[in-house]
Amino acid sequence: MTASFLEPFTFKNGVTLKNRVMLAPMTNFASKENGEVSQEEIAYYEERSEGVGTVITACANVTADGKGFPGEIGADRDELIDSLSTLAKAIQNKGAKAILQIFHGGRMAPPELLPDHQTVSASAVAPLRDGAMTPRELESSEIESIIKAFGEATRRAMEAGFDGVEIHGANTYLLQQFFSPHSNRRDDQWGGTLEKRMTFPLAVVEEVLNAAKDDSSFIVGYRISPEEMENPGITMEDTLTFVDRLVEEKLDYLHVSVQDFNAGSMRDSEDKASRVQLIQDRVGEKIPVIGVGSLHTPEDVEKAMAGGVPLISLGRELIMEPKWVEKAADNRANEIRTDLSVNDREALVVPEQLWQAIINTPGWFPVREHSKTE
Ligand SMILES: Cc1cc2nc3c(=O)[nH]c(=O)nc-3n(C[C@H](O)[C@H](O)[C@H](O)COP(=O)(O)O)c2cc1C
Protein backbone atom coordinates (compact mmCIF):
# COMPACT_ATOMS: atom_id res chain seq x y z
CA MET A 1 0.00 0.00 0.00
CA THR A 2 1.32 3.45 -0.89
CA ALA A 3 1.88 5.85 2.00
CA SER A 4 -0.67 8.65 1.87
CA PHE A 5 2.04 11.33 1.78
CA LEU A 6 3.22 9.90 -1.54
CA GLU A 7 -0.14 10.45 -3.21
CA PRO A 8 -0.57 13.50 -5.46
CA PHE A 9 -2.48 16.51 -4.21
CA THR A 10 -4.55 18.89 -6.32
CA PHE A 11 -5.33 22.43 -5.15
CA LYS A 12 -8.72 24.02 -5.86
CA ASN A 13 -7.01 26.07 -8.59
CA GLY A 14 -6.23 22.80 -10.43
CA VAL A 15 -2.48 22.69 -9.75
CA THR A 16 -1.29 19.20 -8.84
CA LEU A 17 1.65 18.44 -6.56
CA LYS A 18 3.27 15.08 -7.27
CA ASN A 19 3.15 14.20 -3.58
CA ARG A 20 2.20 15.75 -0.24
CA VAL A 21 5.66 16.31 1.24
CA MET A 22 7.15 19.79 1.10
CA LEU A 23 10.52 21.20 2.03
CA ALA A 24 9.71 23.58 4.89
CA PRO A 25 10.97 27.14 4.48
CA MET A 26 14.45 27.32 6.03
CA THR A 27 16.78 30.27 6.11
CA ASN A 28 20.26 29.19 5.03
CA PHE A 29 22.25 32.44 5.45
CA ALA A 30 24.00 31.73 2.14
CA SER A 31 22.71 34.35 -0.32
CA LYS A 32 25.08 37.08 -1.40
CA GLU A 33 25.15 40.38 0.47
CA ASN A 34 23.10 42.03 -2.29
CA GLY A 35 20.35 39.39 -1.98
CA GLU A 36 21.28 37.28 -5.00
CA VAL A 37 21.21 33.53 -4.47
CA SER A 38 24.61 31.84 -4.37
CA GLN A 39 25.84 28.71 -6.11
CA GLU A 40 26.13 26.96 -2.74
CA GLU A 41 22.50 27.72 -2.04
CA ILE A 42 21.40 26.44 -5.44
CA ALA A 43 23.26 23.17 -4.83
CA TYR A 44 21.53 22.84 -1.43
CA TYR A 45 18.09 23.22 -3.02
CA GLU A 46 18.87 20.92 -5.95
CA GLU A 47 19.91 18.19 -3.53
CA ARG A 48 16.49 18.42 -1.85
CA SER A 49 14.14 19.01 -4.79
CA GLU A 50 13.91 15.56 -6.37
CA GLY A 51 11.75 13.65 -3.92
CA VAL A 52 9.42 16.29 -2.47
CA GLY A 53 6.40 17.61 -4.34
CA THR A 54 7.12 21.21 -3.34
CA VAL A 55 9.98 23.34 -2.11
CA ILE A 56 9.20 26.40 -0.04
CA THR A 57 12.30 28.58 -0.04
CA ALA A 58 13.95 30.42 2.81
CA CYS A 59 12.25 33.70 3.58
CA ALA A 60 13.02 36.55 1.17
CA ASN A 61 12.72 40.18 2.27
CA VAL A 62 10.27 42.43 0.43
CA THR A 63 11.87 45.73 1.50
CA ALA A 64 15.42 46.69 2.48
CA ASP A 65 14.29 47.58 6.02
CA GLY A 66 12.71 44.14 6.36
CA LYS A 67 15.90 42.11 5.99
CA GLY A 68 15.87 39.66 8.87
CA PHE A 69 19.04 37.63 8.43
CA PRO A 70 22.51 37.90 6.96
CA GLY A 71 22.67 35.98 3.69
CA GLU A 72 18.97 36.27 3.04
CA ILE A 73 17.37 35.95 -0.39
CA GLY A 74 16.25 39.37 -1.64
CA ALA A 75 12.91 39.95 -3.38
CA ASP A 76 12.88 43.71 -2.87
CA ARG A 77 14.26 44.93 -6.21
CA ASP A 78 13.64 44.18 -9.87
CA GLU A 79 17.35 43.60 -10.44
CA LEU A 80 16.97 40.41 -8.35
CA ILE A 81 14.47 38.80 -10.74
CA ASP A 82 17.21 36.95 -12.68
CA SER A 83 18.60 35.55 -9.47
CA LEU A 84 15.14 34.49 -8.31
CA SER A 85 14.62 32.86 -11.68
CA THR A 86 17.83 30.81 -11.29
CA LEU A 87 16.48 29.53 -7.97
CA ALA A 88 13.01 28.71 -9.31
CA LYS A 89 14.46 26.82 -12.27
CA ALA A 90 16.94 24.88 -10.15
CA ILE A 91 14.08 23.59 -8.02
CA GLN A 92 11.67 22.93 -10.89
CA ASN A 93 14.29 21.15 -13.01
CA LYS A 94 14.54 18.55 -10.27
CA GLY A 95 10.77 18.00 -10.37
CA ALA A 96 9.34 20.03 -7.48
CA LYS A 97 7.05 23.06 -7.47
CA ALA A 98 8.86 26.18 -6.26
CA ILE A 99 7.28 28.54 -3.75
CA LEU A 100 9.05 31.70 -2.60
CA GLN A 101 8.47 32.66 1.03
CA ILE A 102 8.13 36.45 1.32
CA PHE A 103 8.51 38.41 4.52
CA HIS A 104 9.48 41.48 6.51
CA GLY A 105 11.47 41.03 9.72
CA GLY A 106 10.09 44.07 11.55
CA ARG A 107 11.42 44.39 15.10
CA MET A 108 13.28 41.07 14.83
CA ALA A 109 15.67 42.30 12.12
CA PRO A 110 19.32 42.76 13.11
CA PRO A 111 19.80 46.58 12.99
CA GLU A 112 23.23 46.29 11.35
CA LEU A 113 21.56 44.80 8.23
CA LEU A 114 19.18 47.72 7.78
CA PRO A 115 19.85 50.82 5.69
CA ASP A 116 19.44 53.22 8.64
CA HIS A 117 20.26 50.69 11.38
CA GLN A 118 16.81 51.13 12.93
CA THR A 119 14.18 48.40 13.23
CA VAL A 120 10.52 49.18 12.59
CA SER A 121 7.29 47.60 13.81
CA ALA A 122 3.63 48.16 14.62
CA SER A 123 4.58 49.92 17.87
CA ALA A 124 7.71 51.01 19.68
CA VAL A 125 7.86 47.89 21.86
CA ALA A 126 11.09 45.92 22.03
CA PRO A 127 11.03 42.13 21.69
CA LEU A 128 11.66 40.27 24.95
CA ARG A 129 15.28 39.41 24.34
CA ASP A 130 18.47 40.76 25.92
CA GLY A 131 19.85 43.81 24.16
CA ALA A 132 17.01 43.99 21.61
CA MET A 133 16.47 47.37 19.99
CA THR A 134 13.19 49.22 20.50
CA PRO A 135 11.68 49.53 17.02
CA ARG A 136 10.36 52.75 15.54
CA GLU A 137 6.58 52.76 15.14
CA LEU A 138 5.63 52.71 11.46
CA GLU A 139 3.58 55.59 10.09
CA SER A 140 0.40 54.76 8.17
CA SER A 141 1.99 55.76 4.85
CA GLU A 142 4.93 53.44 5.53
CA ILE A 143 2.55 50.60 6.34
CA GLU A 144 0.83 51.18 3.00
CA SER A 145 4.14 51.03 1.18
CA ILE A 146 5.16 47.76 2.90
CA ILE A 147 1.81 46.27 1.83
CA LYS A 148 2.59 47.35 -1.75
CA ALA A 149 6.07 45.84 -1.42
CA PHE A 150 4.51 42.42 -0.73
CA GLY A 151 2.59 42.81 -4.00
CA GLU A 152 5.75 43.83 -5.83
CA ALA A 153 7.69 40.87 -4.44
CA THR A 154 4.86 38.63 -5.68
CA ARG A 155 5.08 40.14 -9.15
CA ARG A 156 8.84 39.48 -9.13
CA ALA A 157 8.29 35.87 -8.03
CA MET A 158 5.85 35.44 -10.92
CA GLU A 159 8.20 37.02 -13.44
CA ALA A 160 10.97 34.78 -12.13
CA GLY A 161 8.82 31.72 -12.84
CA PHE A 162 7.96 30.61 -9.30
CA ASP A 163 4.84 28.46 -8.90
CA GLY A 164 3.70 30.47 -5.91
CA VAL A 165 4.51 32.54 -2.86
CA GLU A 166 4.04 31.92 0.83
CA ILE A 167 3.26 34.98 2.92
CA HIS A 168 5.29 34.60 6.10
CA GLY A 169 2.86 35.60 8.81
CA ALA A 170 4.59 33.51 11.48
CA ASN A 171 7.64 33.17 13.72
CA THR A 172 7.38 36.65 15.32
CA TYR A 173 8.07 38.67 12.15
CA LEU A 174 6.26 41.81 10.99
CA LEU A 175 2.89 40.32 10.02
CA GLN A 176 2.69 38.52 13.34
CA GLN A 177 3.87 41.70 15.11
CA PHE A 178 0.79 43.48 13.82
CA PHE A 179 -1.48 40.61 14.91
CA SER A 180 0.13 40.38 18.34
CA PRO A 181 -1.19 42.40 21.28
CA HIS A 182 2.38 42.43 22.59
CA SER A 183 3.98 44.25 19.67
CA ASN A 184 0.89 46.09 18.41
CA ARG A 185 -0.30 48.76 20.88
CA ARG A 186 -1.74 51.06 18.21
CA ASP A 187 -5.16 52.62 18.47
CA ASP A 188 -5.64 53.62 14.85
CA GLN A 189 -7.01 51.53 11.96
CA TRP A 190 -4.04 49.09 12.33
CA GLY A 191 -4.57 48.13 15.96
CA GLY A 192 -6.56 48.34 19.12
CA THR A 193 -8.98 45.41 18.86
CA LEU A 194 -8.44 41.83 17.73
CA GLU A 195 -10.26 42.72 14.51
CA LYS A 196 -8.02 45.72 13.86
CA ARG A 197 -4.86 43.73 14.58
CA MET A 198 -5.84 41.62 11.55
CA THR A 199 -6.00 44.65 9.26
CA PHE A 200 -2.35 44.69 8.20
CA PRO A 201 -1.91 40.93 7.57
CA LEU A 202 -5.23 40.85 5.67
CA ALA A 203 -4.23 43.88 3.59
CA VAL A 204 -1.01 42.04 2.69
CA VAL A 205 -3.03 38.95 1.70
CA GLU A 206 -5.28 41.03 -0.52
CA GLU A 207 -2.36 42.84 -2.13
CA VAL A 208 -0.59 39.56 -2.89
CA LEU A 209 -3.76 37.93 -4.26
CA ASN A 210 -4.33 40.98 -6.39
CA ALA A 211 -0.79 40.84 -7.77
CA ALA A 212 -1.37 37.19 -8.68
CA LYS A 213 -4.91 37.53 -10.00
CA ASP A 214 -4.07 37.11 -13.69
CA ASP A 215 -2.58 33.66 -13.18
CA SER A 216 -5.04 31.30 -11.56
CA SER A 217 -2.38 28.59 -11.35
CA PHE A 218 -0.14 30.73 -9.12
CA ILE A 219 -0.25 29.37 -5.56
CA VAL A 220 -0.62 31.78 -2.62
CA GLY A 221 -0.21 30.38 0.89
CA TYR A 222 -0.11 31.92 4.34
CA ARG A 223 2.05 30.83 7.28
CA ILE A 224 0.83 31.38 10.80
CA SER A 225 2.17 30.82 14.33
CA PRO A 226 -0.69 29.73 16.58
CA GLU A 227 0.51 31.23 19.87
CA GLU A 228 3.01 33.50 21.56
CA MET A 229 4.68 33.15 24.96
CA GLU A 230 4.40 36.88 25.72
CA ASN A 231 1.79 38.45 27.97
CA PRO A 232 -0.17 39.94 26.42
CA GLY A 233 0.42 37.62 23.48
CA ILE A 234 -1.41 35.74 20.74
CA THR A 235 -3.71 33.06 22.16
CA MET A 236 -5.19 30.05 20.40
CA GLU A 237 -8.57 31.74 20.59
CA ASP A 238 -7.21 34.80 18.75
CA THR A 239 -5.69 32.52 16.14
CA LEU A 240 -8.85 30.53 15.51
CA THR A 241 -10.74 33.80 14.95
CA PHE A 242 -8.02 34.93 12.55
CA VAL A 243 -8.09 31.57 10.77
CA ASP A 244 -11.87 31.91 10.30
CA ARG A 245 -11.15 35.22 8.58
CA LEU A 246 -8.26 33.87 6.49
CA VAL A 247 -10.39 31.05 5.02
CA GLU A 248 -12.65 33.71 3.50
CA GLU A 249 -9.72 34.86 1.35
CA LYS A 250 -8.81 33.07 -1.87
CA LEU A 251 -5.70 31.53 -0.33
CA ASP A 252 -4.54 28.13 -1.57
CA TYR A 253 -3.25 26.88 1.76
CA LEU A 254 -2.58 27.63 5.41
CA HIS A 255 0.81 26.56 6.80
CA VAL A 256 1.00 26.24 10.57
CA SER A 257 4.40 26.93 12.11
CA VAL A 258 5.26 24.90 15.20
CA GLN A 259 8.33 23.03 16.37
CA ASP A 260 6.36 19.90 17.18
CA PHE A 261 3.18 18.87 15.36
CA ASN A 262 1.92 17.01 18.42
CA ALA A 263 2.78 19.61 21.06
CA GLY A 264 0.11 21.33 23.12
CA SER A 265 -0.15 24.95 24.16
CA MET A 266 2.98 27.00 24.86
CA ARG A 267 0.84 29.24 27.09
CA ASP A 268 -0.87 26.58 29.19
CA SER A 269 0.95 23.35 30.01
CA GLU A 270 -2.37 21.68 30.92
CA ASP A 271 -3.65 22.13 27.38
CA LYS A 272 -2.17 19.20 25.48
CA ALA A 273 -4.11 19.36 22.20
CA SER A 274 -1.98 19.67 19.04
CA ARG A 275 -2.15 23.26 17.75
CA VAL A 276 -2.03 22.03 14.16
CA GLN A 277 -4.86 19.60 14.75
CA LEU A 278 -7.00 22.32 16.36
CA ILE A 279 -6.56 24.47 13.25
CA GLN A 280 -7.27 21.52 10.95
CA ASP A 281 -10.43 20.72 12.93
CA ARG A 282 -11.52 24.34 12.69
CA VAL A 283 -11.11 24.67 8.92
CA GLY A 284 -12.02 21.14 7.81
CA GLU A 285 -12.04 21.06 4.01
CA LYS A 286 -12.31 24.82 3.56
CA ILE A 287 -8.57 25.24 2.98
CA PRO A 288 -5.71 22.75 2.86
CA VAL A 289 -3.52 22.88 5.98
CA ILE A 290 0.19 22.10 5.96
CA GLY A 291 1.33 20.41 9.15
CA VAL A 292 4.94 20.48 10.32
CA GLY A 293 7.16 19.92 13.30
CA SER A 294 9.40 17.11 14.50
CA LEU A 295 7.91 14.56 12.10
CA HIS A 296 11.06 12.54 11.71
CA THR A 297 9.93 9.24 10.20
CA PRO A 298 7.39 8.16 7.58
CA GLU A 299 5.42 6.69 10.47
CA ASP A 300 5.35 10.10 12.24
CA VAL A 301 4.08 11.70 9.03
CA GLU A 302 1.39 9.08 8.48
CA LYS A 303 0.16 9.50 12.03
CA ALA A 304 0.01 13.27 11.67
CA MET A 305 -1.92 12.99 8.41
CA ALA A 306 -4.40 10.56 9.95
CA GLY A 307 -5.88 13.60 11.73
CA GLY A 308 -6.84 15.11 8.38
CA VAL A 309 -4.03 17.51 7.36
CA PRO A 310 -3.55 16.91 3.63
CA LEU A 311 0.01 18.28 3.38
CA ILE A 312 3.19 18.02 5.46
CA SER A 313 6.37 20.03 5.40
CA LEU A 314 9.69 18.71 6.65
CA GLY A 315 12.49 21.03 7.75
CA ARG A 316 15.36 19.64 9.77
CA GLU A 317 14.51 16.15 8.48
CA LEU A 318 15.40 17.16 4.93
CA ILE A 319 18.60 18.84 6.05
CA MET A 320 19.70 15.64 7.78
CA GLU A 321 18.29 13.41 5.02
CA PRO A 322 17.94 15.09 1.61
CA LYS A 323 16.63 11.77 0.18
CA TRP A 324 13.92 11.32 2.85
CA VAL A 325 11.09 10.93 0.32
CA GLU A 326 13.04 8.68 -2.04
CA LYS A 327 13.98 6.34 0.81
CA ALA A 328 10.43 6.30 2.18
CA ALA A 329 9.06 5.50 -1.29
CA ASP A 330 11.63 2.75 -1.76
CA ASN A 331 10.84 0.92 1.45
CA ARG A 332 14.17 2.03 2.87
CA ALA A 333 12.76 4.00 5.79
CA ASN A 334 15.31 2.35 8.05
CA GLU A 335 18.06 4.17 6.09
CA ILE A 336 16.60 7.63 6.78
CA ARG A 337 19.13 9.59 8.83
CA THR A 338 17.62 11.31 11.86
CA ASP A 339 20.77 12.89 13.21
CA LEU A 340 23.98 14.29 11.81
CA SER A 341 27.68 14.39 12.53
CA VAL A 342 29.84 17.52 12.40
CA ASN A 343 31.66 15.99 9.44
CA ASP A 344 28.59 15.55 7.24
CA ARG A 345 28.37 19.02 5.69
CA GLU A 346 29.69 18.19 2.23
CA ALA A 347 27.84 14.88 1.97
CA LEU A 348 24.58 16.61 2.90
CA VAL A 349 25.26 19.59 0.59
CA VAL A 350 24.60 22.27 3.23
CA PRO A 351 26.00 25.80 2.85
CA GLU A 352 28.80 26.60 5.30
CA GLN A 353 26.89 29.45 6.99
CA LEU A 354 23.87 27.25 7.70
CA TRP A 355 26.12 24.43 8.84
CA GLN A 356 27.85 26.67 11.38
CA ALA A 357 24.46 27.74 12.75
CA ILE A 358 23.35 24.10 13.00
CA ILE A 359 26.38 22.77 14.83
CA ASN A 360 26.75 25.79 17.11
CA THR A 361 23.14 25.99 18.31
CA PRO A 362 22.75 23.41 21.09
CA GLY A 363 19.58 21.33 20.99
CA TRP A 364 18.43 22.50 17.56
CA PHE A 365 19.54 19.42 15.62
CA PRO A 366 20.51 16.02 17.00
CA VAL A 367 24.29 16.14 16.51
CA ARG A 368 26.08 12.86 17.20
CA GLU A 369 28.55 13.77 19.95
CA HIS A 370 31.06 10.97 19.37
CA SER A 371 31.47 12.03 15.77
CA LYS A 372 33.23 15.25 16.76
CA THR A 373 36.46 13.26 16.80
CA GLU A 374 35.70 11.10 13.77
C1 LIG B 1 17.66 26.19 9.74
C2 LIG B 1 16.22 26.60 9.86
C3 LIG B 1 15.80 27.78 9.27
C4 LIG B 1 14.44 28.15 9.32
N1 LIG B 1 14.02 29.27 8.63
C5 LIG B 1 12.70 29.50 8.47
C6 LIG B 1 12.23 30.48 7.56
O1 LIG B 1 13.00 31.15 6.85
N2 LIG B 1 10.89 30.67 7.47
C7 LIG B 1 10.00 29.94 8.21
O2 LIG B 1 8.78 30.14 8.09
N3 LIG B 1 10.42 28.98 9.06
C8 LIG B 1 11.73 28.73 9.19
N4 LIG B 1 12.15 27.67 9.98
C9 LIG B 1 11.15 26.80 10.66
C10 LIG B 1 10.84 25.55 9.79
O3 LIG B 1 10.15 25.91 8.61
C11 LIG B 1 10.00 24.50 10.55
O4 LIG B 1 8.73 25.06 10.85
C12 LIG B 1 10.64 24.01 11.84
O5 LIG B 1 12.01 23.70 11.64
C13 LIG B 1 9.92 22.78 12.42
O6 LIG B 1 9.90 21.75 11.47
P1 LIG B 1 10.95 20.50 11.52
O7 LIG B 1 10.79 19.84 12.85
O8 LIG B 1 10.51 19.63 10.38
O9 LIG B 1 12.32 21.06 11.32
C14 LIG B 1 13.51 27.32 10.00
C15 LIG B 1 13.96 26.16 10.61
C16 LIG B 1 15.27 25.77 10.53
C17 LIG B 1 15.70 24.45 11.14
Side-chain angles (χ1 to χ4, degrees), residues 345-370:
R345 187 186 80 79
E346 281 179 35
L348 296 179
V349 196
V350 174
E352 183 64 43
Q353 298 88 331
L354 173 56
W355 192 253
Q356 288 306 321
I358 288 172
I359 61 176
N360 292 313
T361 311
W364 201 15
F365 281 72
V367 180
R368 287 197 303 279
E369 276 305 316
H370 66 272

CSV table of all heavy atoms in Angstrom, one decimal, residues 345-370:
chain,number,residue,atom,x,y,z
A,345,ARG,N,28.8,17.9,6.5
A,345,ARG,CA,28.4,19.0,5.7
A,345,ARG,C,28.4,18.8,4.2
A,345,ARG,O,27.4,19.0,3.5
A,345,ARG,CB,29.2,20.3,6.0
A,345,ARG,CG,28.7,21.5,5.4
A,345,ARG,CD,29.5,22.7,5.6
A,345,ARG,NE,30.7,22.7,4.7
A,345,ARG,CZ,30.7,23.1,3.5
A,345,ARG,NH1,29.5,23.5,2.9
A,345,ARG,NH2,31.7,23.1,2.7
A,346,GLU,N,29.6,18.3,3.7
A,346,GLU,CA,29.7,18.2,2.2
A,346,GLU,C,28.8,17.1,1.7
A,346,GLU,O,28.1,17.3,0.7
A,346,GLU,CB,31.1,17.9,1.8
A,346,GLU,CG,31.9,19.2,1.8
A,346,GLU,CD,33.4,19.0,1.5
A,346,GLU,OE1,33.7,18.1,0.6
A,346,GLU,OE2,34.2,19.7,2.1
A,347,ALA,N,28.7,16.0,2.4
A,347,ALA,CA,27.8,14.9,2.0
A,347,ALA,C,26.4,15.3,1.9
A,347,ALA,O,25.6,14.9,1.1
A,347,ALA,CB,28.0,13.7,2.9
A,348,LEU,N,26.0,16.2,2.9
A,348,LEU,CA,24.6,16.6,2.9
A,348,LEU,C,24.3,17.9,2.1
A,348,LEU,O,23.2,18.3,2.0
A,348,LEU,CB,24.2,16.9,4.4
A,348,LEU,CG,24.2,15.7,5.3
A,348,LEU,CD1,23.8,16.1,6.7
A,348,LEU,CD2,23.3,14.6,4.8
A,349,VAL,N,25.4,18.4,1.5
A,349,VAL,CA,25.3,19.6,0.6
A,349,VAL,C,24.5,20.7,1.3
A,349,VAL,O,23.4,21.2,1.0
A,349,VAL,CB,24.6,19.3,-0.8
A,349,VAL,CG1,24.8,20.4,-1.7
A,349,VAL,CG2,25.0,18.0,-1.3
A,350,VAL,N,25.2,21.2,2.4
A,350,VAL,CA,24.6,22.3,3.2
A,350,VAL,C,25.6,23.5,3.2
A,350,VAL,O,26.8,23.3,3.4
A,350,VAL,CB,24.4,21.8,4.7
A,350,VAL,CG1,24.0,23.0,5.6
A,350,VAL,CG2,23.4,20.7,4.8
A,351,PRO,N,25.1,24.6,2.9
A,351,PRO,CA,26.0,25.8,2.8
A,351,PRO,C,26.7,26.0,4.2
A,351,PRO,O,26.1,25.7,5.3
A,351,PRO,CB,25.1,27.0,2.6
A,351,PRO,CG,23.8,26.4,2.0
A,351,PRO,CD,23.7,25.0,2.6
A,352,GLU,N,28.0,26.4,4.1
A,352,GLU,CA,28.8,26.6,5.3
A,352,GLU,C,28.1,27.4,6.4
A,352,GLU,O,28.1,27.1,7.6
A,352,GLU,CB,30.1,27.2,4.9
A,352,GLU,CG,31.2,27.4,6.0
A,352,GLU,CD,31.6,26.1,6.6
A,352,GLU,OE1,31.9,25.2,5.8
A,352,GLU,OE2,31.8,26.0,7.8
A,353,GLN,N,27.5,28.5,6.0
A,353,GLN,CA,26.9,29.4,7.0
A,353,GLN,C,25.8,28.7,7.8
A,353,GLN,O,25.6,28.9,9.0
A,353,GLN,CB,26.3,30.7,6.3
A,353,GLN,CG,27.3,31.6,5.6
A,353,GLN,CD,27.5,31.1,4.1
A,353,GLN,OE1,27.4,30.0,3.8
A,353,GLN,NE2,27.9,32.1,3.3
A,354,LEU,N,25.0,28.0,7.0
A,354,LEU,CA,23.9,27.3,7.7
A,354,LEU,C,24.5,26.2,8.6
A,354,LEU,O,24.0,25.9,9.7
A,354,LEU,CB,22.9,26.6,6.7
A,354,LEU,CG,21.8,25.7,7.2
A,354,LEU,CD1,21.0,26.4,8.2
A,354,LEU,CD2,20.9,25.2,6.1
A,355,TRP,N,25.5,25.5,8.1
A,355,TRP,CA,26.1,24.4,8.8
A,355,TRP,C,26.7,24.9,10.2
A,355,TRP,O,26.5,24.3,11.2
A,355,TRP,CB,27.3,23.8,8.0
A,355,TRP,CG,27.7,22.5,8.6
A,355,TRP,CD1,28.9,22.3,9.3
A,355,TRP,CD2,27.0,21.3,8.6
A,355,TRP,NE1,28.9,21.0,9.7
A,355,TRP,CE2,27.8,20.3,9.3
A,355,TRP,CE3,25.8,20.9,8.1
A,355,TRP,CZ2,27.4,19.0,9.5
A,355,TRP,CZ3,25.4,19.5,8.3
A,355,TRP,CH2,26.2,18.6,9.0
A,356,GLN,N,27.3,26.1,10.1
A,356,GLN,CA,27.8,26.7,11.4
A,356,GLN,C,26.7,26.9,12.4
A,356,GLN,O,26.8,26.7,13.6
A,356,GLN,CB,28.6,28.0,11.1
A,356,GLN,CG,30.0,27.7,10.4
A,356,GLN,CD,30.8,26.7,11.1
A,356,GLN,OE1,30.9,26.7,12.4
A,356,GLN,NE2,31.5,25.9,10.4
A,357,ALA,N,25.6,27.5,11.9
A,357,ALA,CA,24.5,27.7,12.7
A,357,ALA,C,23.9,26.4,13.4
A,357,ALA,O,23.6,26.4,14.5
A,357,ALA,CB,23.3,28.4,12.0
A,358,ILE,N,23.9,25.4,12.5
A,358,ILE,CA,23.4,24.1,13.0
A,358,ILE,C,24.2,23.5,14.1
A,358,ILE,O,23.7,23.1,15.2
A,358,ILE,CB,23.3,23.1,11.8
A,358,ILE,CG1,22.1,23.5,10.9
A,358,ILE,CG2,23.1,21.7,12.3
A,358,ILE,CD1,22.0,22.7,9.6
A,359,ILE,N,25.5,23.5,13.9
A,359,ILE,CA,26.4,22.8,14.8
A,359,ILE,C,26.7,23.6,16.1
A,359,ILE,O,27.1,23.1,17.1
A,359,ILE,CB,27.7,22.2,14.2
A,359,ILE,CG1,28.5,23.2,13.6
A,359,ILE,CG2,27.3,21.1,13.2
A,359,ILE,CD1,29.8,22.7,13.1
A,360,ASN,N,26.5,24.9,16.0
A,360,ASN,CA,26.8,25.8,17.1
A,360,ASN,C,25.5,26.2,17.9
A,360,ASN,O,25.6,27.0,18.8
A,360,ASN,CB,27.5,27.0,16.6
A,360,ASN,CG,28.9,26.7,16.2
A,360,ASN,OD1,29.6,25.9,16.8
A,360,ASN,ND2,29.3,27.1,15.0
A,361,THR,N,24.4,25.7,17.5
A,361,THR,CA,23.1,26.0,18.3
A,361,THR,C,22.7,24.7,19.1
A,361,THR,O,22.1,23.8,18.5
A,361,THR,CB,22.0,26.5,17.4
A,361,THR,OG1,22.5,27.5,16.5
A,361,THR,CG2,20.8,27.0,18.2
A,362,PRO,N,23.0,24.6,20.3
A,362,PRO,CA,22.7,23.4,21.1
A,362,PRO,C,21.3,23.1,21.1
A,362,PRO,O,20.4,24.0,21.2
A,362,PRO,CB,23.2,23.7,22.5
A,362,PRO,CG,24.1,24.9,22.4
A,362,PRO,CD,23.7,25.7,21.2
A,363,GLY,N,21.0,21.8,20.9
A,363,GLY,CA,19.6,21.3,21.0
A,363,GLY,C,18.7,21.5,19.8
A,363,GLY,O,17.6,21.0,19.7
A,364,TRP,N,19.2,22.2,18.7
A,364,TRP,CA,18.4,22.5,17.6
A,364,TRP,C,18.3,21.3,16.7
A,364,TRP,O,17.2,20.9,16.2
A,364,TRP,CB,19.1,23.7,16.8
A,364,TRP,CG,18.1,24.4,15.9
A,364,TRP,CD1,16.8,24.3,15.8
A,364,TRP,CD2,18.5,25.3,14.8
A,364,TRP,NE1,16.3,25.2,14.8
A,364,TRP,CE2,17.4,25.7,14.2
A,364,TRP,CE3,19.8,25.7,14.3
A,364,TRP,CZ2,17.4,26.7,13.1
A,364,TRP,CZ3,19.8,26.7,13.3
A,364,TRP,CH2,18.6,27.1,12.7
A,365,PHE,N,19.5,20.6,16.4
A,365,PHE,CA,19.5,19.4,15.6
A,365,PHE,C,20.2,18.3,16.5
A,365,PHE,O,21.1,18.7,17.3
A,365,PHE,CB,20.4,19.6,14.4
A,365,PHE,CG,19.8,20.4,13.3
A,365,PHE,CD1,19.5,21.7,13.4
A,365,PHE,CD2,19.4,19.7,12.1
A,365,PHE,CE1,18.9,22.4,12.3
A,365,PHE,CE2,18.8,20.4,11.1
A,365,PHE,CZ,18.6,21.7,11.2
A,366,PRO,N,19.8,17.1,16.3
A,366,PRO,CA,20.5,16.0,17.0
A,366,PRO,C,21.9,15.8,16.4
A,366,PRO,O,22.0,15.2,15.3
A,366,PRO,CB,19.6,14.8,16.8
A,366,PRO,CG,18.6,15.1,15.8
A,366,PRO,CD,18.7,16.6,15.5
A,367,VAL,N,22.9,16.3,17.0
A,367,VAL,CA,24.3,16.1,16.5
A,367,VAL,C,24.9,15.0,17.3
A,367,VAL,O,25.0,15.0,18.5
A,367,VAL,CB,25.1,17.4,16.7
A,367,VAL,CG1,26.5,17.3,16.2
A,367,VAL,CG2,24.4,18.6,16.0
A,368,ARG,N,25.4,14.0,16.5
A,368,ARG,CA,26.1,12.9,17.2
A,368,ARG,C,27.4,13.3,17.8
A,368,ARG,O,28.3,13.7,17.2
A,368,ARG,CB,26.4,11.7,16.2
A,368,ARG,CG,25.2,11.0,15.7
A,368,ARG,CD,25.6,9.7,15.0
A,368,ARG,NE,26.5,9.8,13.9
A,368,ARG,CZ,26.1,10.2,12.7
A,368,ARG,NH1,24.8,10.4,12.4
A,368,ARG,NH2,27.0,10.3,11.7
A,369,GLU,N,27.4,13.3,19.2
A,369,GLU,CA,28.6,13.8,20.0
A,369,GLU,C,29.9,13.1,19.6
A,369,GLU,O,30.8,13.7,19.3
A,369,GLU,CB,28.3,13.6,21.4
A,369,GLU,CG,27.5,14.7,22.1
A,369,GLU,CD,28.1,16.1,21.9
A,369,GLU,OE1,29.3,16.2,22.0
A,369,GLU,OE2,27.3,17.0,21.5
A,370,HIS,N,29.8,11.7,19.6
A,370,HIS,CA,31.1,11.0,19.4
A,370,HIS,C,31.7,11.3,18.0
A,370,HIS,O,32.9,11.2,17.9
A,370,HIS,CB,30.8,9.5,19.4
A,370,HIS,CG,29.9,9.0,18.3
A,370,HIS,ND1,28.6,9.0,18.4
A,370,HIS,CD2,30.3,8.5,17.1
A,370,HIS,CE1,28.1,8.5,17.2
A,370,HIS,NE2,29.1,8.2,16.4
